[in-house]
Amino acid sequence: MQKDYYEILGVSKNATEEEIKKAYKKLARKVHPDLNPGDKSAEARFKDINEAYQVLSDSEKRKRYDTFGNAAFQGGHNPSGSYYRYYTSGSPFEGFDFDSPGAGSFGDIFEELFKGRARAQGRPSASTPAPSAGEDIEYHIHLILEDAFRGKTVDLSIERLDTCPSCKGRGLEPGKLSRTCPSCRGSGQIRNRQGFFSTSIPCSMCGGTGSLSSSPCRSCGGEGRRRSTERISVKIPAGVDTGARIRVAGKGHAGKNGGPSGDIYIVPTITPHRLFERKEDDIYLDVPLRISEATLGAKIDIPTLEGKTTLTIPPGTQGAQRLRLQGKGIPHLKGGGRGDLYAVIRISIPERLDEKAKEHIRELDKHYEKSPRNW
């Protein structure tokens, strides 16, 4: 089937090498199978993206493709011969082996996905099981709108798996050695090849460590980690909103066998306010007015997140009209100013009127130049 590689990468036929590389990296991050687990369409899309990049990133292959299309690669070199090998293991990104030409650019993608976290290199030895990174922790908190406006430092009590002080995370009794697992031969993984993919699961005999020991650490039961509670202080920045993720590096679960610790992600939920409604960095406040204030104009005091301020009501202000107070909203999370406050006008009608007051209202009705219902 004929494939348009330019369309797959979303670039023009005159795209430069840099534009092609940039488009490829962006799409690869978006549809990577690890970021879309179980999504078959994402896997297929990822293979198409790799196939397109293998051709368009090579000047000679691109020239042949521009001249002959896919036919240039029929019966000979197959640019999609080895897209990638996809392994499922304890860490969602462990076990990838990119062995097709041009796949070196995935180093940039993995550096970004891992946030610079070190990865285990090489095969483990019998006495040194492979290190693995600790898991991340997600911690949910509730904040009031004033906290989001000003920022706040919160003290949290975090339950985490910490490195066992007895065995230093090795899972062995001090002075004892482990032996290579005969089932996985020290890799910690049992692999099964399926077409383009080579799937991998942790070895059930050694638990994915690649080694066995008859002397597990008595303090941690061979896990290498023990549950502990740690108190930390986290600064919540001004402008944070519901669903934001505030990263505290290295405060997640400890890694195994000397691997780096995971991170903590603080996820806030902002409690609804009794007066203000937040929409992104703007806030809205309902302001009731007397008929006389809306008709003749007035100066009134209204609340803000910083205290009271004076709002000028122009004569002839209408119900539902919004009066803007610039810079009185929420600070922008990334700096550079603040949102606005919008005073939403609500006309308040007296509930009880005597005959004299009703007569005044009828007199006022004569001053309408046209019907307010102009439909």
Side-chain angles (χ1 to χ4, degrees), residues 66-248:
D66 288 343
T67 304
F68 302 107
N70 289 96
F73 306 103
Q74 300 297 325
H77 170 70
N78 181 2
S80 60
S82 181
Y83 301 113
Y84 60 90
R85 294 177 184 171
Y86 177 38
Y87 303 100
T88 57
S89 60
S91 171
F93 296 103
E94 283 183 306
F96 273 84
D97 176 21
F98 297 91
D99 56 3
S100 56
S105 59
F106 266 88
D108 296 336
I109 298 174
F110 272 74
E111 181 178 353
E112 182 173 331
L113 290 173
F114 275 107
K115 306 181 287 292
R117 189 180 298 166
R119 299 196 300 272
Q121 300 290 333
R123 289 171 58 90
S125 67
S127 60
T128 309
S132 60
E135 303 86 352
D136 294 333
I137 297 174
E138 194 169 89
Y139 194 99
H140 293 259
I141 62 174
H142 285 82
L143 300 173
I144 61 175
L145 188 59
E146 287 83 354
D147 294 334
F149 174 74
R150 299 186 182 92
K152 182 180 182 180
T153 297
V154 295
D155 294 323
L156 306 176
S157 182
I158 303 295
E159 288 192 2
R160 61 190 296 267
L161 293 174
D162 205 357
T163 301
C164 175
S166 297
C167 65
K168 309 302 181 185
R170 296 180 66 240
L172 304 174
E173 275 294 293
K176 301 296 183 179
L177 296 177
S178 60
R179 60 187 177 87
T180 300
C181 175
S183 178
C184 64
R185 298 182 180 180
S187 69
Q189 303 291 321
I190 302 297
R191 298 178 179 178
N192 295 301
R193 192 168 185 82
Q194 299 175 346
F196 289 115
F197 302 100
S198 182
T199 59
S200 172
I201 60 174
C203 174
S204 60
M205 180 176 288
C206 66
T209 64
S211 61
L212 298 174
S213 173
S214 58
S215 302
C217 174
R218 285 174 290 183
S219 180
C220 64
E223 167 67 16
R225 302 183 296 179
R226 295 195 310 181
R227 189 165 297 278
S228 65
T229 301
E230 181 178 353
R231 292 192 64 81
I232 63 172
S233 293
V234 180
K235 182 173 177 55
I236 307 298
V240 73
D241 202 356
T242 295
R245 288 166 61 84
I246 303 164
R247 177 175 172 242
V248 184

Side-chain angles (χ1 to χ4, degrees), residues 40-86:
K40 298 299 183 182
S41 63
E43 291 183 10
R45 176 88 169 120
F46 187 69
K47 289 191 289 184
D48 286 343
I49 291 167
N50 274 277
E51 180 180 334
Y53 182 70
Q54 301 308 317
V55 173
L56 299 186
S57 63
D58 185 303
S59 59
E60 290 301 319
K61 294 178 185 176
R62 183 178 180 181
K63 188 180 300 182
R64 289 164 58 195
Y65 173 74
D66 288 343
T67 304
F68 302 107
N70 289 96
F73 306 103
Q74 300 297 325
H77 170 70
N78 181 2
S80 60
S82 181
Y83 301 113
Y84 60 90
R85 294 177 184 171
Y86 177 38

